Amino acid sequence: MKLAARMKAFSTSIFSELSIYIKQKCSEKNDMIDLSIGSPDLPPPPFVMEALSRYASDPKAYGYTLKGTREFHEAVAFYYQTAHHVSLHPETEIMYVIGSQDGLVHLPMAFADPGDIILVPDPGYPAYATGIAMAEAVPYFMPLRKENDFLPNLREIPQEIAEKAVLMFLNFPGNPVPALATEAFFREVVEFAKRYNIIVVSDFAYSELYYDGNKPISFLSIPGAKEVGIELNSLSKSYNMAGCRIGYICGNEEIIRILSKFKSNLDYGIFLPIQQAAIAALTEGASFCEQNRAIYQSRRDCFVDGLASIGWHVDRPKAGMFIWAEIPKGWNSLDFTYALIDRAGVVVTPGHAFGPSGEGYVRIALVEGEDKLLRAVEKLKQSGIFSAK
């Protein structure tokens, strides 16, 4: 069997490797607590499930939708206006995606030729690397460092790289790093993108998960942002609809036009009842998002305080559903991850899986209730890896 040369870029993911190892350990009757995958454990709002059920009972709902319905586009526009004070034209500045990963992976193929440079955060969400590999483009890593509040330093990008770059991925609040962008940083991004003719792709999937009143800034709310870029969002994390696979891209009209043309060759739309459920979430979900934030903030505080009590002091995230935890000295992230599995039965994701600058960290997902998170703390304490100071 002959494989395409591009398949060399796709190796077995760390998540698959961990899954195999966990199954092996579970067969040995170990009690595992898996905090490695960012899959919400909570249900969607009842009115979302009701809408999905009601429309799924309609025999006429089972044909092709071909694209996002006008009502879905209007719901996205309503949400952006009310949540971020951003005006969007429903027909020309919004398009659906089958979850934001669909957009992230396919987008580079519409704008990058083989050998083109794409600026990508390091560490960053693995889908960026997948999309870059599919387009046969070349990633240029923008390190996210603690001393710079995990924001990329655009002044460090060599001019010859910037002049060859066609896309820039940004992710705030981020995965794996739950950092927040500032207005000053986004203004710098707009100026940089205009100077070098770069398309900015803002991945805003965690926009509704923020704490202590630190509401994230939409890139599109920055003056000039629509001239250079787009924003992707998803209903997976904000409304616990991960399995529904629905999201959207919004922003620059010309970019949306090109992506819509490209997308028309890839699929036949999203199941109508799922679009109706998404409409309900976007138009009626503000109070649910507030309740969801309170749950995650309580989990965050419970877990971070618990880790501190056993001697593992990690930064308290201002947003997102992850803790980006610096590991104790003397370990690398992969060995540390396997040590936690072997000695504590707690599963996290090694930081190097998200890029070279992820070494020295692990990502921990807040996807279990407080009782289970506290049990994870107790198991970590008993492992002997940490010592309270």
Side-chain angles (χ1 to χ4, degrees):
M1 182 184 297
K2 178 185 178 299
L3 290 181
R6 68 177 62 88
M7 286 302 294
K8 294 177 182 177
F10 302 102
S11 57
T12 303
S13 75
I14 186 64
F15 300 106
S16 298
E17 292 178 15
L18 288 176
S19 177
I20 294 169
Y21 195 68
I22 292 166
K23 286 180 181 177
Q24 175 188 330
K25 287 293 180 180
C26 286
S27 69
E28 299 170 5
K29 298 184 178 180
N30 282 7
D31 179 22
M32 291 286 173
I33 298 178
D34 191 348
L35 305 177
S36 65
I37 303 293
S39 179
D41 62 309
L42 299 167
F47 58 84
V48 166
M49 292 188 284
E50 190 278 329
L52 183 60
S53 175
R54 175 159 42 92
Y55 283 97
S57 299
D58 182 357
K60 297 179 181 178
Y62 287 80
Y64 294 129
T65 58
L66 298 180
K67 59 180 183 178
T69 65
R70 180 172 178 82
E71 292 76 15
F72 174 68
H73 286 200
E74 289 174 344
V76 173
F78 170 83
Y79 168 77
Y80 255 75
Q81 182 63 56
T82 54
H84 301 292
H85 306 293
V86 172
S87 296
L88 295 169
H89 191 288
E91 290 301 313
T92 60
E93 295 182 326
I94 299 169
M95 64 172 285
Y96 80 96
V97 283
I98 306 175
S100 58
Q101 182 148 327
D102 167 28
L104 293 168
V105 169
H106 288 119
L107 189 147
M109 288 194 288
F111 296 101
D113 287 319
D116 281 346
I117 290 175
I118 296 178
L119 306 175
V120 62
D122 170 32
Y125 183 46
Y128 308 149
T130 302
I132 291 169
M134 288 177 67
E136 300 181 59
V138 178
Y140 180 86
F141 294 115
M142 301 183 294
L144 307 182
R145 302 188 184 95
K146 186 175 183 178
E147 58 268 26
N148 199 41
D149 296 324
F150 296 107
L151 299 174
N153 187 342
L154 303 184
R155 292 179 292 278
E156 289 184 348
I157 300 172
Q159 183 174 341
E160 61 270 23
I161 295 294
E163 290 174 346
K164 295 177 182 178
V166 295
L167 291 169
M168 174 194 289
F169 283 102
L170 297 174
N171 182 207
F172 300 104
N175 174 11
V177 185
L180 289 171
T182 63
E183 183 176 337
F185 171 72
F186 273 157
R187 285 179 180 273
E188 184 182 1
V189 168
V190 170
E191 191 278 329
F192 184 87
K194 286 183 176 180
R195 189 189 325 155
Y196 293 108
N197 196 29
I198 295 171
I199 294 172
V200 177
V201 182
S202 170
D203 178 1
F204 206 34
Y206 298 89
S207 60
E208 287 291 350
L209 289 179
Y210 60 90
Y211 315 118
D212 307 310
N214 296 301
K215 186 172 181 177
I217 300 169
S218 165
F219 176 67
L220 296 182
S221 69
I222 302 301
K226 268 198 206 178
E227 299 171 33
V228 298
I230 53 175
E231 195 153 74
L232 289 93
N233 211 327
S234 165
L235 283 82
S236 295
K237 306 307 192 299
S238 297
Y239 304 98
N240 301 329
M241 295 172 65
C244 292
R245 307 315 304 144
I246 185 166
Y248 52 88
I249 303 175
C250 51
N252 183 276
E253 181 176 340
E254 181 63 9
I255 296 173
I256 295 296
R257 185 189 67 78
I258 294 167
L259 286 174
S260 296
K261 179 180 179 181
F262 179 60
K263 188 108 173 77
S264 69
N265 292 276
L266 299 180
D267 59 67
Y268 287 92
I270 296 173
F271 188 37
L272 182 61
I274 291 177
Q275 293 197 50
Q276 294 293 342
I279 291 166
L282 290 165
T283 56
E284 305 172 37
S287 61
F288 172 81
C289 289
E290 188 174 347
Q291 296 165 15
N292 212 34
R293 283 193 291 274
I295 292 171
Y296 275 102
Q297 180 166 328
S298 184
R299 289 180 178 184
R300 176 202 69 171
D301 293 342
C302 160
F303 194 58
V304 170
D305 291 344
L307 293 180
S309 73
I310 65 171
W312 191 8
H313 299 276
V314 303
D315 291 337
R316 196 178 303 267
K318 295 179 180 178
M321 65 187 304
F322 303 106
I323 291 172
W324 186 239
E326 198 165 359
I327 63 178
K329 296 190 183 306
W331 294 89
N332 66 54
S333 60
L334 186 61
D335 289 345
F336 183 73
T337 295
Y338 280 111
L340 294 190
I341 295 173
D342 293 339
R343 294 161 62 175
V346 175
V347 189
V348 299
T349 307
H352 80 283
F354 303 98
S357 295
E359 185 52 68
Y361 291 83
V362 293
R363 191 194 73 174
I364 307 172
L366 298 169
V367 292
E368 296 286 358
E370 291 182 36
D371 288 348
K372 207 160 189 178
L373 291 173
L374 288 174
R375 188 149 63 87
V377 170
E378 184 60 29
K379 288 162 70 70
L380 291 169
K381 179 180 179 180
Q382 294 173 2
S383 72
I385 295 173
F386 307 94
S387 58
K389 296 181 181 179

